[in-house]
Coordinates of all heavy atoms in Angstrom, one line a residue:
W1235 N 78.2 94.5 158.9 CA 76.9 93.9 158.4 C 75.7 94.2 159.2 O 74.6 94.3 158.6 CB 77.1 92.4 158.2 CG 77.4 91.6 159.4 CD1 78.6 91.2 159.9 CD2 76.4 91.1 160.4 NE1 78.4 90.4 161.0 CE2 77.1 90.4 161.3 CE3 75.0 91.2 160.5 CZ2 76.5 89.8 162.4 CZ3 74.4 90.6 161.6 CH2 75.1 89.9 162.5
P1236 N 75.8 94.4 160.5 CA 74.5 94.9 161.2 C 74.0 96.2 160.7 O 72.8 96.4 160.7 CB 75.0 95.0 162.7 CG 76.1 94.1 162.8 CD 76.8 94.2 161.5
G1237 N 74.9 97.1 160.2 CA 74.5 98.3 159.6 C 73.7 98.1 158.4 O 72.7 98.9 158.1
L1238 N 74.0 97.1 157.6 CA 73.3 96.7 156.4 C 71.8 96.3 156.7 O 70.9 96.7 156.0 CB 74.0 95.6 155.6 CG 75.3 96.0 155.0 CD1 76.0 94.7 154.3 CD2 75.2 97.1 154.0
I1239 N 71.7 95.5 157.8 CA 70.4 95.0 158.2 C 69.5 96.2 158.7 O 68.3 96.3 158.4 CB 70.5 93.9 159.3 CG1 71.2 92.7 158.7 CG2 69.1 93.6 159.9 CD1 71.4 91.5 159.6
I1240 N 70.1 97.1 159.5 CA 69.4 98.3 160.0 C 68.9 99.1 158.8 O 67.8 99.6 158.8 CB 70.3 99.1 160.9 CG1 70.6 98.3 162.2 CG2 69.6 100.4 161.3 CD1 71.6 99.0 163.1
L1241 N 69.8 99.3 157.9 CA 69.4 100.1 156.7 C 68.3 99.4 155.9 O 67.3 100.1 155.5 CB 70.6 100.3 155.7 CG 71.6 101.4 156.0 CD1 72.7 101.4 155.1 CD2 70.9 102.8 156.0
G1242 N 68.4 98.1 155.7 CA 67.4 97.4 155.0 C 66.0 97.4 155.7 O 65.0 97.7 155.1
L1243 N 66.0 97.1 157.0 CA 64.7 97.1 157.7 C 64.1 98.5 157.8 O 62.9 98.7 157.5 CB 64.9 96.6 159.2 CG 63.7 96.6 160.1 CD1 62.6 95.7 159.6 CD2 64.2 96.2 161.5
G1244 N 64.9 99.5 158.2 CA 64.4 100.9 158.3 C 64.0 101.5 157.0 O 62.9 102.0 156.9
V1245 N 64.7 101.3 156.0 CA 64.4 101.8 154.7 C 63.2 101.0 154.1 O 62.4 101.6 153.3 CB 65.6 101.9 153.7 CG1 65.2 102.4 152.4 CG2 66.6 102.8 154.3
G1246 N 63.1 99.8 154.4 CA 61.9 99.0 154.0 C 60.6 99.7 154.5 O 59.6 99.8 153.8
I1247 N 60.7 100.0 155.8 CA 59.5 100.7 156.4 C 59.3 102.0 155.8 O 58.2 102.4 155.4 CB 59.7 100.8 158.0 CG1 59.8 99.5 158.6 CG2 58.6 101.7 158.6 CD1 60.2 99.5 160.1
I1248 N 60.3 102.8 155.7 CA 60.2 104.2 155.1 C 59.8 104.1 153.6 O 58.9 104.9 153.2 CB 61.6 104.9 155.2 CG1 61.9 105.2 156.7 CG2 61.6 106.2 154.4 CD1 63.3 105.7 157.0
G1249 N 60.4 103.2 152.9 CA 60.0 103.1 151.5 C 58.6 102.7 151.3 O 57.9 103.2 150.4
G1250 N 58.1 101.7 152.0 CA 56.7 101.3 151.9 C 55.8 102.4 152.3 O 54.6 102.4 151.9
F1251 N 56.2 103.2 153.3 CA 55.3 104.3 153.7 C 55.3 105.5 152.8 O 54.3 106.1 152.5 CB 55.8 104.7 155.1 CG 55.0 105.8 155.8 CD1 53.7 105.5 156.2 CD2 55.5 107.1 155.9 CE1 52.9 106.5 156.8 CE2 54.7 108.1 156.5 CZ 53.4 107.8 157.0
F1252 N 56.5 105.9 152.4 CA 56.6 107.2 151.6 C 56.4 106.9 150.1 O 56.3 107.8 149.3 CB 57.9 107.9 151.8 CG 58.1 108.5 153.1 CD1 59.2 108.2 153.9 CD2 57.1 109.3 153.7 CE1 59.4 108.8 155.2 CE2 57.2 109.8 154.9 CZ 58.4 109.6 155.7
G1253 N 56.5 105.6 149.6 CA 56.3 105.3 148.2 C 57.6 105.5 147.4 O 57.5 106.0 146.3
M1254 N 58.7 105.1 147.9 CA 60.0 105.2 147.2 C 60.9 104.1 147.7 O 60.7 103.4 148.6 CB 60.6 106.6 147.5 CG 60.8 106.9 149.0 SD 61.2 108.6 149.3 CE 59.6 109.3 148.9
G1255 N 62.0 104.0 146.9 CA 63.0 102.9 147.2 C 63.8 103.2 148.5 O 64.3 102.4 149.1
G1256 N 63.8 104.5 148.9 CA 64.6 104.9 150.1 C 66.1 105.0 149.8 O 66.9 105.2 150.7
A1257 N 66.4 105.0 148.5 CA 67.9 105.1 148.1 C 68.5 106.4 148.5 O 69.7 106.5 148.6 CB 68.0 104.8 146.6
W1258 N 67.7 107.4 148.6 CA 68.2 108.7 149.0 C 68.8 108.7 150.4 O 69.5 109.5 150.8 CB 67.1 109.8 148.9 CG 65.8 109.3 149.5 CD1 64.9 108.4 149.1 CD2 65.2 109.8 150.7 NE1 63.8 108.3 149.9 CE2 64.0 109.1 150.9 CE3 65.6 110.8 151.7 CZ2 63.2 109.4 152.0 CZ3 64.7 111.0 152.8 CH2 63.5 110.3 152.9
M1259 N 68.4 107.6 151.2 CA 69.1 107.3 152.5 C 70.1 106.2 152.3 O 71.2 106.3 152.9 CB 68.1 107.0 153.5 CG 67.2 108.1 154.0 SD 66.1 107.5 155.4 CE 65.5 109.1 155.9
V1260 N 69.8 105.2 151.5 CA 70.7 104.0 151.5 C 72.0 104.3 150.7 O 73.0 103.9 151.2 CB 69.9 102.9 150.8 CG1 70.9 101.7 150.7 CG2 68.7 102.5 151.6
T1261 N 71.9 105.0 149.6 CA 73.2 105.3 148.9 C 74.2 106.0 149.7 O 75.3 105.6 149.8 CB 72.9 106.0 147.5 OG1 72.0 105.2 146.7 CG2 74.2 106.3 146.8
P1262 N 73.8 107.2 150.3 CA 74.8 107.8 151.2 C 75.1 106.9 152.4 O 76.3 106.9 152.9 CB 74.1 109.1 151.7 CG 72.8 109.2 151.0 CD 72.6 108.0 150.2
G1263 N 74.1 106.1 152.9 CA 74.4 105.3 154.0 C 75.4 104.2 153.7 O 76.4 103.9 154.5
L1264 N 75.3 103.6 152.5 CA 76.3 102.6 152.1 C 77.7 103.2 151.9 O 78.7 102.6 152.2 CB 75.8 101.9 150.8 CG 74.6 101.0 150.9 CD1 74.2 100.5 149.5 CD2 75.0 99.8 151.7
N1265 N 77.7 104.4 151.3 CA 79.0 105.1 151.1 C 79.6 105.4 152.5 O 80.8 105.3 152.6 CB 78.7 106.4 150.3 CG 80.0 107.2 150.0 OD1 80.1 108.4 150.3 ND2 80.9 106.5 149.4
I1266 N 78.8 105.8 153.4 CA 79.4 106.1 154.8 C 79.9 104.8 155.4 O 80.9 104.8 156.1 CB 78.3 106.8 155.7 CG1 78.0 108.2 155.2 CG2 78.6 106.8 157.1 CD1 76.8 108.9 155.7
L1267 N 79.2 103.7 155.2 CA 79.6 102.4 155.8 C 80.9 101.9 155.1 O 81.5 101.0 155.7 CB 78.5 101.4 155.6 CG 77.3 101.5 156.6 CD1 76.2 100.5 156.2 CD2 77.7 101.4 158.0
G1268 N 81.3 102.4 154.0 CA 82.6 102.1 153.4 C 82.6 101.7 151.9 O 83.6 101.5 151.3
F1269 N 81.4 101.7 151.3 CA 81.4 101.3 149.8 C 81.8 102.5 149.0 O 81.4 103.7 149.3 CB 79.9 101.0 149.4 CG 79.5 99.6 149.7 CD1 78.8 99.3 150.8 CD2 79.9 98.5 148.9 CE1 78.4 98.0 151.2 CE2 79.6 97.2 149.2 CZ 78.8 97.0 150.3
P1270 N 82.6 102.3 147.9 CA 82.9 103.4 147.0 C 81.5 103.8 146.4 O 80.6 103.0 146.3 CB 83.8 102.7 145.9 CG 84.4 101.5 146.6 CD 83.3 101.1 147.6
M1271 N 81.4 105.1 146.0 CA 80.1 105.6 145.6 C 79.5 104.8 144.4 O 78.3 104.6 144.5 CB 80.2 107.1 145.2 CG 78.9 107.8 144.9 SD 77.7 107.7 146.3 CE 78.4 109.1 147.2
A1272 N 80.2 104.4 143.4 CA 79.6 103.7 142.3 C 79.0 102.4 142.7 O 78.0 102.0 142.3 CB 80.7 103.5 141.2
F1273 N 79.7 101.7 143.7 CA 79.2 100.4 144.2 C 78.0 100.7 145.1 O 77.1 99.9 145.2 CB 80.3 99.7 145.0 CG 81.2 98.9 144.1 CD1 82.4 99.5 143.7 CD2 80.9 97.6 143.7 CE1 83.3 98.8 142.9 CE2 81.8 96.9 142.9 CZ 83.0 97.5 142.5
A1274 N 78.0 101.8 145.9 CA 76.9 102.1 146.7 C 75.6 102.3 145.9 O 74.5 101.9 146.2 CB 77.2 103.4 147.5
I1275 N 75.8 103.0 144.7 CA 74.7 103.2 143.9 C 74.1 101.9 143.3 O 72.9 101.6 143.3 CB 75.1 104.2 142.7 CG1 75.4 105.6 143.3 CG2 73.9 104.3 141.7 CD1 76.0 106.6 142.3
G1276 N 75.0 101.2 142.7 CA 74.6 99.9 142.0 C 74.0 98.9 143.0 O 73.0 98.3 142.7
T1277 N 74.6 98.8 144.2 CA 74.1 97.9 145.2 C 72.7 98.3 145.7 O 71.8 97.4 145.8 CB 75.0 97.8 146.4 OG1 76.3 97.3 145.9 CG2 74.5 96.8 147.5
D1278 N 72.5 99.6 145.9 CA 71.2 100.0 146.4 C 70.1 99.8 145.3 O 69.0 99.5 145.7 CB 71.3 101.5 146.8 CG 70.0 102.0 147.3 OD1 69.4 101.2 148.1 OD2 69.6 103.1 147.0
V1279 N 70.5 100.1 144.1 CA 69.5 99.9 143.0 C 69.0 98.5 143.0 O 67.8 98.2 142.8 CB 70.1 100.3 141.6 CG1 69.1 99.9 140.5 CG2 70.3 101.8 141.6
A1280 N 69.9 97.5 143.2 CA 69.5 96.1 143.2 C 68.6 95.7 144.4 O 67.6 95.1 144.3 CB 70.8 95.2 143.2
H1281 N 69.0 96.2 145.6 CA 68.2 96.0 146.8 C 66.8 96.6 146.7 O 65.8 96.1 147.1 CB 69.0 96.6 148.0 CG 68.1 97.2 149.0 ND1 67.9 98.6 149.1 CD2 67.4 96.7 150.1 CE1 67.1 98.9 150.1 NE2 66.8 97.8 150.7
M1282 N 66.8 97.8 146.1 CA 65.6 98.6 145.9 C 64.6 97.9 145.1 O 63.4 98.0 145.3 CB 65.9 100.0 145.3 CG 64.8 100.9 145.0 SD 65.5 102.3 144.1 CE 66.2 101.5 142.6
A1283 N 65.0 97.3 144.0 CA 64.1 96.6 143.1 C 63.2 95.6 143.8 O 62.0 95.5 143.6 CB 64.9 96.0 141.9
G1284 N 63.9 94.7 144.6 CA 63.2 93.6 145.3 C 62.2 94.2 146.3 O 61.1 93.7 146.4
K1285 N 62.7 95.1 147.1 CA 61.9 95.7 148.2 C 60.7 96.4 147.6 O 59.6 96.3 148.2 CB 62.7 96.6 149.0 CG 62.0 97.4 150.1 CD 62.8 98.3 150.9 CE 63.3 99.5 150.0 NZ 62.2 100.2 149.4
S1286 N 60.8 97.2 146.6 CA 59.7 98.0 146.0 C 58.7 97.1 145.4 O 57.5 97.4 145.5 CB 60.2 98.9 145.0 OG 61.1 99.8 145.5
L1287 N 59.1 95.9 144.9 CA 58.1 95.0 144.3 C 57.2 94.4 145.4 O 56.0 94.3 145.3 CB 58.8 93.8 143.6 CG 58.0 92.8 142.9 CD1 57.2 93.5 141.8 CD2 58.8 91.7 142.2
I1288 N 57.8 94.1 146.6 CA 57.0 93.6 147.7 C 56.0 94.7 148.2 O 54.9 94.4 148.4 CB 58.0 93.3 148.9 CG1 58.9 92.1 148.5 CG2 57.2 92.9 150.2 CD1 60.0 91.8 149.5
S1289 N 56.5 96.0 148.3 CA 55.6 97.0 148.7 C 54.5 97.3 147.8 O 53.4 97.6 148.2 CB 56.5 98.3 148.9 OG 57.4 98.2 149.9
T1290 N 54.8 97.2 146.5 CA 53.8 97.5 145.4 C 52.6 96.5 145.6 O 51.4 96.8 145.4 CB 54.4 97.4 144.0 OG1 55.4 98.3 143.9 CG2 53.3 97.6 143.0
L1291 N 52.9 95.2 145.8 CA 51.9 94.2 145.9 C 51.0 94.5 147.1 O 49.8 94.3 147.0 CB 52.6 92.8 146.1 CG 53.4 92.3 144.9 CD1 54.1 91.0 145.2 CD2 52.4 92.1 143.7
R1292 N 51.6 95.0 148.2 CA 50.8 95.3 149.4 C 49.9 96.5 149.1 O 48.7 96.5 149.5 CB 51.7 95.5 150.6 CG 51.0 96.1 151.8 CD 50.0 95.1 152.4 NE 50.7 93.9 153.0 CZ 50.0 93.0 153.7 NH1 48.7 93.1 153.8 NH2 50.6 91.9 154.2
H1293 N 50.5 97.5 148.5 CA 49.7 98.7 148.2 C 48.6 98.4 147.2 O 47.5 99.1 147.2 CB 50.6 99.8 147.7 CG 51.3 100.7 148.7 ND1 50.6 101.7 149.4 CD2 52.5 100.6 149.2 CE1 51.4 102.2 150.3 NE2 52.6 101.6 150.2
G1294 N 48.8 97.5 146.3 CA 47.8 97.1 145.3 C 46.6 96.6 146.0 O 45.4 96.8 145.5
K1295 N 46.7 95.9 147.1 CA 45.6 95.3 147.8 C 44.8 96.4 148.5 O 43.6 96.3 148.7 CB 46.1 94.4 148.9 CG 46.7 93.1 148.4 CD 47.2 92.2 149.5 CE 47.8 90.9 148.9 NZ 48.2 90.0 150.0
F1296 N 45.4 97.6 148.8 CA 44.7 98.7 149.3 C 44.1 99.6 148.3 O 43.4 100.6 148.6 CB 45.6 99.5 150.3 CG 46.1 98.8 151.5 CD1 47.4 99.1 152.0 CD2 45.3 97.8 152.1 CE1 47.8 98.4 153.1 CE2 45.8 97.1 153.2 CZ 47.0 97.4 153.7
G1297 N 44.3 99.3 147.0 CA 43.8 100.2 145.9 C 44.5 101.5 145.8 O 44.0 102.5 145.3
N1298 N 45.8 101.5 146.2 CA 46.6 102.7 146.2 C 47.5 102.9 144.9 O 48.3 103.8 144.8 CB 47.6 102.8 147.4 CG 46.8 102.9 148.7 OD1 45.6 103.2 148.7 ND2 47.5 102.7 149.8
V1299 N 47.4 101.9 143.9 CA 48.3 101.9 142.8 C 47.5 102.2 141.5 O 46.5 101.5 141.2 CB 49.0 100.6 142.6 CG1 50.0 100.6 141.4 CG2 49.7 100.2 143.9
D1300 N 47.9 103.3 140.8 CA 47.3 103.6 139.5 C 48.2 103.0 138.4 O 49.2 103.6 138.0 CB 47.1 105.1 139.3 CG 46.2 105.4 138.1 OD1 46.4 104.7 137.0 OD2 45.4 106.4 138.2
Y1301 N 47.9 101.7 138.0 CA 48.8 101.0 137.1 C 48.9 101.7 135.8 O 49.9 101.7 135.1 CB 48.4 99.6 137.0 CG 48.5 98.8 138.2 CD1 47.5 98.4 139.1 CD2 49.8 98.3 138.6 CE1 47.6 97.7 140.2 CE2 50.0 97.6 139.8 CZ 48.9 97.3 140.6 OH 49.1 96.6 141.7
K1302 N 47.8 102.3 135.3 CA 47.7 103.0 134.0 C 48.7 104.1 134.0 O 49.5 104.4 133.1 CB 46.3 103.4 133.7 CG 46.2 104.1 132.3 CD 44.7 104.5 132.1 CE 44.6 105.2 130.8 NZ 43.1 105.6 130.5
L1303 N 48.7 104.9 135.1 CA 49.6 106.0 135.2 C 51.1 105.6 135.3 O 52.0 106.1 134.7 CB 49.3 106.8 136.5 CG 50.2 108.0 136.8 CD1 50.2 109.0 135.7 CD2 49.7 108.7 138.1
G1304 N 51.3 104.5 136.1 CA 52.7 103.9 136.2 C 53.2 103.5 134.9 O 54.4 103.7 134.5
L1305 N 52.4 102.8 134.1 CA 52.8 102.3 132.8 C 53.0 103.4 131.8 O 53.9 103.3 130.9 CB 51.8 101.3 132.2 CG 51.7 99.9 133.0 CD1 50.5 99.1 132.5 CD2 53.0 99.1 132.8
T1306 N 52.2 104.5 131.9 CA 52.4 105.6 131.0 C 53.8 106.3 131.2 O 54.5 106.8 130.3 CB 51.3 106.7 131.3 OG1 50.1 106.1 131.0 CG2 51.5 107.9 130.4
M1307 N 54.3 106.2 132.5 CA 55.6 106.8 132.8 C 56.8 105.9 132.6 O 57.9 106.3 132.7 CB 55.6 107.2 134.3 CG 54.5 108.2 134.7 SD 54.4 108.4 136.5 CE 55.8 109.4 136.8
L1308 N 56.5 104.6 132.1 CA 57.6 103.6 132.0 C 58.6 104.1 131.0 O 59.8 104.0 131.3 CB 56.9 102.3 131.6 CG 57.9 101.2 131.3 CD1 58.7 100.9 132.5 CD2 57.2 99.9 130.9

Side-chain angles (χ1 to χ4, degrees):
W1235 62 263
L1238 294 176
I1239 293 179
I1240 292 172
L1241 277 176
L1243 177 63
V1245 176
I1247 295 173
I1248 291 168
F1251 181 70
F1252 291 130
M1254 56 193 69
W1258 47 290
M1259 287 185 171
V1260 177
T1261 297
L1264 289 175
N1265 184 232
I1266 288 167
L1267 287 173
F1269 280 99
M1271 185 59 81
F1273 279 94
I1275 293 170
T1277 301
D1278 183 40
V1279 169
H1281 142 265
M1282 172 188 62
K1285 176 183 65 60
S1286 298
L1287 186 59
I1288 294 168
S1289 296
T1290 300
L1291 294 174
R1292 172 64 70 174
H1293 276 281
K1295 292 181 179 179
F1296 296 148
N1298 292 348
V1299 183
D1300 193 319
Y1301 292 103
K1302 183 178 179 181
L1303 177 58
L1305 290 172
T1306 300
M1307 299 171 75
L1308 178 59

